[in-house]
């Protein structure tokens, strides 16, 4: 009898080790990386340059000088993830050559999604998804149907990093955390004055990795303002 229970025990142990290693694999996409650094993706692909104006533990204040993005029109959706996918597919076609100049354009990072509350009766939010135009095309991005160039002439942003795959539930929490960490700082006033809407429902989500990268994923919440 004793040997039987030992046998059972070892089976359970093996099973639990097996399950552990499977869940370890499944959890690896969200493996924590040390945040608060230049996104690793930007060592491989082109990213906009910026100046760090102020470095706090929970956030960073950056200035983006003249920066051109290619942007979708408003996408109304209840889901950030679904709207970003819709927008990204348009931008992906764009860089693959579906533009007036039939230019193939290198992938860059980040892809940013501007989130604002929607006026519509059924939709919670409105989203604009944008691609950072590589320096080569910044002065003159190839036009395309359904997309427009968006030019930032010095835009300041408070940025908070988080890792893993971005989920619908998480972005509101991250935005609220950024806003809370800005409270009482000299940037809070400027952020409050930018637009009339609530900064915790109007913000940008920046994603630096493709959906196929599982490690070292870096995302940011941005709240932009003018000085
Ligand atoms: C942005 O512009 C300022 C003022 O002209 C300049 O000092 C700074 O080096 C520029 N930063 C970048 C990243 O180009
Ligand atoms: C920004 O607005 C919020 C909400 O109205 C307010 O509680 C906060 O004190 C404001 N912060 C500054 C710095 O004006």
């Amino acid at each position: 009898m004793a040997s039987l229970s030992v046998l059972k025990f070892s089976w359970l142990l093996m099973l639990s080790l097996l399950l552990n290693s499977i869940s370890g694999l499944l959890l690896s996409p969200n493996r924590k990386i040390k945040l608060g650094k230049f996104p690793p993706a930007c060592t491989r692909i082109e990213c906009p340059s910026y100046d760090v104006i102020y470095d706090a533990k929970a956030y960073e204040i950056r200035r983006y000088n003249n920066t051109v993005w290619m942007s979708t029109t408003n996408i109304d959706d209840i889901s950030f993830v679904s709207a970003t996918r819709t927008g990204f597919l348009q931008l992906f076609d764009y860089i693959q050559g579906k533009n007036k100049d039939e230019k193939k354009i290198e992938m860059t990072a980040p892809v940013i999604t501007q989130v604002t509350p929607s006026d519509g009766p059924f939709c919670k939010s409105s989203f604009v998804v944008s691609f950072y135009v590589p320096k080569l095309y910044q002065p003159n991005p190839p036009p395309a149907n359904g997309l427009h160039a968006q030019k930032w002439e010095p835009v300041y942003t408070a940025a908070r990093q988080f890792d893993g795959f971005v989920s619908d539930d998480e972005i509101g929490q991250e935005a609220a955390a950024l806003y809370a960490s800005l409270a009482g700082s000299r940037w809070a006033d400027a952020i409050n004055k930018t637009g009339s809407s609530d900064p915790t429902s109007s913000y940008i989500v920046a994603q630096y990795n493709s959906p196929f990268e599982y490690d070292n994923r870096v995302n940011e919440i941005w709240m932009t303002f003018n000085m």
Side-chain angles (χ1 to χ4, degrees):
M1 282 316 262
S3 65
L4 189 63
S5 62
V6 166
L7 198 64
K8 262 191 194 157
F9 177 72
S10 54
W11 265 108
L12 279 175
L13 188 67
M14 269 172 65
L15 193 64
S16 81
L17 284 176
L18 188 67
L19 287 176
N20 258 337
S21 60
I22 290 170
S23 68
L25 279 176
L26 292 176
L27 286 175
S28 70
N30 280 311
R31 191 152 70 207
K32 292 279 177 219
I33 64 155
K34 193 176 176 300
L35 295 175
K37 62 171 183 180
F38 198 65
C42 299
T43 58
R44 285 179 282 111
I45 56 178
E46 201 183 314
C47 295
S49 45
Y50 57 81
D51 297 301
V52 177
I53 304 297
Y54 182 78
D55 188 2
K57 250 201 189 111
Y59 63 89
E60 201 170 72
I61 303 293
R62 301 176 184 164
R63 180 183 56 218
Y64 288 84
N65 286 348
N66 306 332
T67 306
V68 177
W69 305 85
M70 218 47 197
S71 304
T72 66
T73 52
N74 282 335
I75 300 168
D76 282 345
D77 204 313
I78 52 164
S79 159
F80 161 87
V81 171
S82 141
T84 300
R85 190 183 306 126
T86 304
F88 182 77
L89 290 175
Q90 288 178 43
L91 296 167
F92 190 69
D93 281 349
Y94 174 76
I95 67 173
Q96 295 287 53
K98 277 198 189 159
N99 53 63
K100 297 244 162 75
D101 303 345
E102 298 185 353
K103 283 271 191 315
K104 286 208 173 199
I105 302 171
E106 289 285 311
M107 188 58 201
T108 60
V111 167
I112 62 172
T113 306
Q114 288 162 292
V115 183
T116 47
S118 165
D119 301 334
F122 304 114
C123 297
K124 272 203 236 144
S125 298
S126 190
F127 304 89
V128 172
V129 186
S130 307
F131 164 77
Y132 166 65
V133 176
K135 292 203 173 62
L136 180 62
Y137 296 108
Q138 284 270 316
N140 215 349
N145 283 335
L147 299 178
H148 63 279
Q150 202 189 141
K151 187 166 186 184
W152 286 9
E153 311 191 280
V155 164
Y156 290 79
T157 185
R160 171 190 169 86
Q161 290 189 332
F162 58 105
D163 60 8
F165 284 93
V166 180
S167 72
D168 286 338
D169 297 338
E170 194 176 18
I171 53 170
Q173 293 168 20
E174 292 293 337
L178 173 58
Y179 193 58
S181 65
L182 286 161
S185 74
R186 62 196 149 121
W187 320 106
D189 201 27
I191 288 170
N192 269 6
K193 280 185 189 135
T194 306
S196 52
S197 45
D198 174 8
T200 57
S201 56
S202 296
Y203 49 84
I204 291 174
V205 181
Q207 299 185 77
Y208 287 86
N209 303 88
S210 89
F212 310 108
E213 292 173 272
Y214 286 82
D215 294 325
N216 294 331
R217 296 186 64 84
V218 172
N219 318 294
E220 293 170 343
I221 298 283
W222 292 356
M223 288 176 186
T224 58
F225 59 98
N226 301 308
M227 293 276 271

